[in-house]
Amino acid sequence: MQILKTLDISSWTPPLESDATKEYTHALESGYVAFLPQLNFELAENERRLLSPQWSDGKAKNISYDPQTKLVKHTSALGTDKEAIGQMMARYADYANKLVLTLFPNYSKGIRIGRTSYRPVEADGRSSSVRKDDRLLHVDAFAASPVQGERILRIFSNINPEGKPREWVLGESFDMLAPRFLPKIPKPFPGSSWLLKTLGITKGKRTEYDHYMLQLHDQEKLDTHYQQTCPKTAVSLPASSTWIVYTDLVPHAVKSGQYCLEQTFYLPVESMQEPALSPLRKLERLVGRKLV
Ligand code: SIN
Ligand code: FE
């Protein structure tokens, strides 16, 4: 099974022909991981001190940055250290944004930038719960922030200074995964989406689509037998490389690695080159009705 689409690109704003961008978009939407082995996110000399797990607050998995509000959260850093982390993450958000618009120019109409994360803690550590354990195969779905059908597109850069790769595992395709788990997922309770929003548990309405995706995420992680026996492929993502993937479509798990930057984007299904390839349309075909 071919799972990586390797792109021979070493700049965050590479010059590209439109045939190439269409081909890259097709590969990404089909569930390939776009792998850019030569695209490194370089740190400035005075940013090297930021490569330490001490900057995590010890509670959240990641340090987060919001490009809209420019706020840094979940870090122990204060003063100029916190500022430096914010500046590094803002630069990453900017580069990632430019890269997405260059590689997938057709997305420029609908795409929305989300949070930036910095992951300075070794990924092969303890997790607070099975549901939060990203060492288990899963598709991404957010309990508190419903996407209401929008796609979750993520860019990752391994910035490990000692040459340590980030070890991922990819699972079977969504077309195999979804029909396997869907029959086990109960329909949402009538009124539950209203209740979750009213109680402030979700930011916005948890649509039926969000319900099914969250259940898919949870059921896959909770099924120990499935985790052990399902088809999987190990992927070693080297230091100083970058990769891009629709994490709502591609089952993934991180086994080990330290020091990674990640930028999330949201894209309406209608802004895709081939909307039929979205998890929303795939699930709607399976259940035989609209889910948003
Ligand atoms: C995840 O998105 O599930 C974790 C990926 C990573 O931290 O490498
Ligand atoms: Fe994930």
Side-chain angles (χ1 to χ4, degrees):
M1 187 174 59
Q2 176 98 29
I3 39 175
L4 294 185
K5 167 88 181 168
T6 303
L7 310 191
D8 183 18
I9 280 169
S10 53
S11 144
W12 293 88
T13 50
L16 291 173
E17 306 279 340
S18 85
D19 281 356
T21 63
K22 287 205 181 91
E23 183 197 329
Y24 298 164
T25 309
H26 176 70
L28 193 75
E29 293 184 356
S30 306
Y32 283 82
V33 174
F35 173 48
L36 292 72
Q38 304 170 62
L39 188 61
N40 179 25
F41 180 74
E42 275 194 53
L43 299 196
E45 201 49 49
N46 63 354
E47 286 174 330
R48 302 212 170 255
R49 76 180 195 286
L50 305 177
L51 295 169
S52 161
Q54 68 159 323
W55 303 119
S56 150
D57 71 359
K59 289 182 231 125
K61 276 187 285 194
N62 310 319
I63 298 174
S64 92
Y65 173 78
D66 184 338
Q68 315 288 343
T69 61
K70 313 215 178 311
L71 287 178
V72 180
K73 286 194 183 152
H74 310 303
T75 178
S76 63
L78 300 167
T80 51
D81 293 328
K82 190 171 177 182
E83 256 171 52
I85 290 175
Q87 274 165 20
M88 173 181 79
M89 293 178 78
R91 196 168 77 252
Y92 187 70
D94 181 45
Y95 282 18
N97 194 35
K98 288 192 172 116
L99 182 67
V100 161
L101 295 179
T102 312
L103 293 180
F104 318 112
N106 292 337
Y107 288 175
S108 64
K109 259 189 236 122
I111 202 158
R112 192 160 59 78
I113 196 162
R115 296 280 165 82
T116 318
S117 71
Y118 170 37
R119 309 173 178 209
V121 180
E122 170 56 51
D124 185 17
R126 240 182 287 159
S127 182
S128 51
S129 72
V130 174
R131 283 186 177 81
K132 287 189 180 154
D133 192 348
D134 290 338
R135 293 170 301 175
L136 297 168
L137 280 164
H138 64 282
V139 285
D140 283 351
F142 308 130
S145 313
V147 294
Q148 304 174 341
E150 287 197 342
R151 303 302 314 276
I152 304 171
L153 178 61
R154 291 185 139 166
I155 299 195
F156 297 85
S157 294
N158 182 347
I159 57 167
N160 189 287
E162 283 135 23
K164 189 178 166 183
R166 202 165 184 87
E167 303 291 353
W168 271 32
V169 169
L170 300 178
E172 63 182 347
S173 72
F174 195 88
D175 292 334
M176 303 296 288
L177 179 80
R180 194 189 293 281
F181 284 96
L182 215 51
K184 299 177 195 164
I185 301 177
K187 280 190 181 181
F189 287 113
S192 61
S193 121
W194 174 84
L195 195 65
L196 289 165
K197 184 167 176 256
T198 307
L199 294 176
I201 295 168
T202 56
K203 293 181 210 115
K205 186 177 169 202
R206 184 184 289 175
T207 64
E208 267 203 272
Y209 171 72
D210 292 293
H211 167 81
Y212 283 110
M213 289 300 286
L214 196 56
Q215 284 289 324
L216 213 51
H217 166 274
D218 290 357
Q219 299 296 330
E220 188 181 4
K221 279 188 177 174
L222 291 163
D223 191 334
T224 316
H225 179 74
Y226 177 77
Q227 290 285 334
Q228 282 165 359
T229 57
C230 73
K232 47 178 99 68
T233 311
V235 177
S236 189
L237 299 148
S240 309
S241 75
T242 294
W243 60 102
I244 311 171
V245 56
Y246 271 119
T247 52
D248 54 359
L249 179 74
V250 180
H252 58 284
V254 59
K255 294 300 172 184
S256 67
Q258 191 176 10
Y259 306 119
C260 182
L261 282 159
E262 173 270 333
Q263 179 62 53
T264 300
F265 295 90
Y266 299 99
L267 187 82
V269 164
E270 306 75 56
S271 301
M272 292 174 64
Q273 190 166 282
E274 294 163 86
L277 298 176
S278 65
L280 174 64
R281 298 284 178 255
K282 287 178 195 275
L283 289 178
E284 285 181 338
R285 282 196 293 274
L286 286 168
V287 299
R289 65 175 189 282
K290 291 256 177 247
L291 292 176
V292 172

